[in-house]
Amino acid sequence: MVLSTGSKKIKTAVFISGTGSNLKSLLKFSKLKKSPISIEMIVSNNPKSKGLNFGKIYKIRKKIFNFKKQASAEKEILLKLEKNKINLICLAGFMKILSKNFILNFKGQILNIHPSLLPKYKGLNTHEKAIRNKDEYSGCTVHFVNSKVDSGKIIIQKKVKIKKDDTPKSLAKKILYQEHKLYPKAILKISSL
Ligand code: GAR
């Protein structure tokens, strides 16, 4: 694994676009003694992300970038990450696709959480797809990010049973609950490799 922790915590940036419930669980996790990460930055493409409020609560610097001009936004983000000596990026409900160039700059150091059992249902509307296909299980996956969307090496997955009366909303809720436990587990797993 590229991440070398030594005795110090891995300086981490979390990228969000919306509610930020995974960010919240990562922040809580980062405060535990056993956590190998310290969250130094929150990055968002959306100034209205509710998750940005956690920056205030936990006193963590927040940066909002306009992805309408993605190349220059990414350039600025890379500078900020370098300045803050960030070694790990956790995508947590970040709904923009990072460029190949950006990913190469952080090769093996970007993680993503996705609400399906990859390689099934890459992209959006995963819960609708799982229900429509009458799958018995769905779930969530934490994986390394490579240049193909939702295709990097899988670190860990959690299965969630789909009940007959589940709707995309009820399934999303059950899976999100598992996501909050899975992301910290994935980080513990890669930091001990
Ligand atoms: C989570 O379910 C996450 O897996 C999903 O967005 C939600 C964000 O929730 N991510 C993707 O779909 C990425 N393709 P949160 O903002 O409450 O953490």
Side-chain angles (χ1 to χ4, degrees), residues 18-23 92-95 112-115 123 150 176 179:
T19 315
S21 68
N22 275 291
L23 164 66
F94 184 65
M95 302 313 264
N112 181 41
I113 188 152
H114 184 75
D150 300 329
L176 196 58
E179 290 183 36

Side-chain angles (χ1 to χ4, degrees), residues 39 76 81 108 118 150 152 176 181:
I39 297 175
E76 270 182 70
L81 296 173
L118 289 172
D150 300 329
L176 196 58
K181 299 197 261 186

